[in-house]
Amino acid sequence: MDYLPLFVDVKNRPCLVVGGGDIAARKAGLLLKAQARVTLVSPRVSISTQALINAEKIQWVNALFSAELLNESILVIAATDDEDVNREVYKQAKQRNILVNVADCPALCDFILPSILDRSPIVVAVSSGGKSPILARQLRARLETLIPPTYGRLAELVGRYREKVQDKFPKISMRRRFWESILQGKVADHVLAGREQLGEEVFQAMLQKTQSEELQKGEVYLVGAGPGDPELLTFKALRLMQQADIVFYDRLVSKEVLALVRREAEQVYVGKQRAWHAVRQEEINQLLLVQAQQGKRVLRLKGGDPFIFGRGGEEIETLAAENIPFQVVPGITAASGCASYAGIPLTHRDYSQSCTFVTGQLKQGELDLNWASLVQPRQTVVVYMGLAGLPVLTQKLQDHGMPSTMPVALVQQGTTSHQKVWISTLAEIAALAEREQPVAPTLVIIGEVVNLHNSLSWFEIKD
Ligand code: SAH
């Protein structure tokens, strides 16, 4: 970070603008918006500057810049078209330790003016560190569409009740929960839709009826983190991730996804790998329970979908038995994610009318699957955890009559920047895997649809 973002209170404080053109007028206007006391020095002024002078909003010194004008100022903005003058302003300001900005000249700036989205009292400032003000403006325009003008009204409303809420809920954690329920619930809906009075009435009712104990109850969020690409998270997943106190996450959860969890939340790795368990399943169940019993909002973040080969059911069984509230948020499972990003439709009118998900995890070197059903034609078989057992799996399928020419895809680390796809046949894929050594997680897709990869592949990884 090259600059520290600050919001400075300039109300009634003396600020100097050097220059009388349109840019100077704009800078003066900005300072006025923040209620600064503005002095503008310039021997000539443009029409827009004149308008500010006529409206008696700024004090005009009709002269050339002189250093003593700085003695009274807390900051100065130079916006003349004379480089020497700008440089002189900079030099004099530095000598006096006054913050200085020279328009369009980052090298002569102590501070830069960001692009501003004003939803007062909410203000969003975007800066490109002087590298590209136009890019910052474009970003601000995008934010404009996301943050409706009524956000300011919402902030005003909650601002009026800050102290009351503080009095009623002495603990920070309680207040945080109370505000979250307000700002994500009906009150916010009403105010953002322009029904401010109704919003305030609902707010008052909630403030009165909410009991401290309610705000101290723990809860568990069992959330599917998807296959890796953070953009594949659901809105709900993201919202719960942002309000968790502690997160227990898997090996399959990508670091990009983890980075979106509330920064203050404690992070605990409970990943499992094929051959060893970092924390055994029963221990995980217990950990979730204990943390929720302590009143925490516990996020259990699992790769893909928690109810597909994720043992999510077992984790919430313990909670259900102990009456701990929980929510389950589905995620995009590896089959959907990998198939989409590899350009392999899981079903297709010409090739496949059904799709089966199976686990290829070996138990004592064996696979216990319903082979007769898996070898039926016109279907797609997706194998999770199938890499280590690939030789057994492919042999068994052939033994039960699946053609050895059946196309098979291996999708390594699907949807991520490490995605790799290999295509081969049932007879040859195990040897290919032996040669290429795909890394976990890798998904196996078997069926005629795999051939479509050649024409439908679209996801390109750029290094
Ligand atoms: N609950 C998860 C699956 C857990 S089982 C889900 O719904 O996706 C773990 C297996 O999922 C891995 O062995 C691998 O076969 C598959 N898998 C998960 N994420 C994957 C990814 N990004 N790319 C390829 N395979 C993946």
Side-chain angles (χ1 to χ4, degrees), residues 237-249:
L238 192 60
R239 180 168 63 76
L240 298 179
M241 284 160 69
Q242 287 287 324
Q243 63 182 40
D245 297 312
I246 183 166
V247 51
F248 294 97
Y249 66 99

Side-chain angles (χ1 to χ4, degrees), residues 421-456:
V421 182
W422 291 274
I423 307 284
S424 182
T425 60
L426 193 60
E428 288 169 11
I429 194 78
L432 181 145
E434 183 60 31
R435 256 190 342 266
E436 300 287 338
Q437 295 288 321
V439 293
T442 291
L443 194 78
V444 186
I445 306 178
I446 304 168
E448 303 284 352
V449 287
V450 166
N451 283 335
L452 293 163
H453 166 79
N454 285 336
S455 47
L456 301 184

Side-chain angles (χ1 to χ4, degrees), residues 218-222 246-249 270 281-302 311-312 314-316 318-319 324:
E219 185 174 3
V220 175
Y221 312 135
L222 178 58
I246 183 166
V247 51
F248 294 97
Y249 66 99
V270 289
Q281 188 62 51
E282 301 81 72
E283 286 176 53
I284 298 178
N285 302 352
Q286 213 50 38
L287 277 171
L288 299 179
L289 178 66
V290 170
Q291 294 292 330
Q293 278 169 338
Q294 288 174 6
K296 297 216 181 108
R297 288 187 294 186
V298 183
L299 172 69
R300 175 67 175 113
L301 200 54
K302 291 178 95 78
R311 303 184 78 169
E314 293 167 46
E315 294 180 5
I316 54 174
T318 322
L319 304 170
I324 298 288

Side-chain angles (χ1 to χ4, degrees), residues 259-369:
L260 296 172
V261 174
R262 185 170 150 253
R263 214 177 305 176
E264 295 76 19
E266 193 185 334
Q267 301 197 349
V268 186
Y269 174 69
V270 289
K272 289 181 282 177
Q273 288 189 4
R274 207 168 8 92
W276 59 279
H277 287 192
V279 181
R280 300 213 355 237
Q281 188 62 51
E282 301 81 72
E283 286 176 53
I284 298 178
N285 302 352
Q286 213 50 38
L287 277 171
L288 299 179
L289 178 66
V290 170
Q291 294 292 330
Q293 278 169 338
Q294 288 174 6
K296 297 216 181 108
R297 288 187 294 186
V298 183
L299 172 69
R300 175 67 175 113
L301 200 54
K302 291 178 95 78
D305 182 285
F307 276 6
I308 296 181
F309 305 125
R311 303 184 78 169
E314 293 167 46
E315 294 180 5
I316 54 174
E317 260 171 48
T318 322
L319 304 170
E322 297 286 337
N323 276 325
I324 298 288
F326 58 83
Q327 307 180 42
V328 183
V329 182
I332 291 191
T333 189
S336 297
C338 294
S340 295
Y341 278 53
I344 302 173
L346 290 175
T347 65
H348 189 287
R349 277 199 298 172
D350 298 336
Y351 308 108
S352 166
Q353 276 73 52
S354 69
C355 176
T356 307
F357 296 173
V358 294
T359 157
Q361 201 169 23
L362 295 169
K363 285 200 186 102
Q364 279 111 34
E366 293 289 323
L367 277 175
D368 182 19
L369 293 169

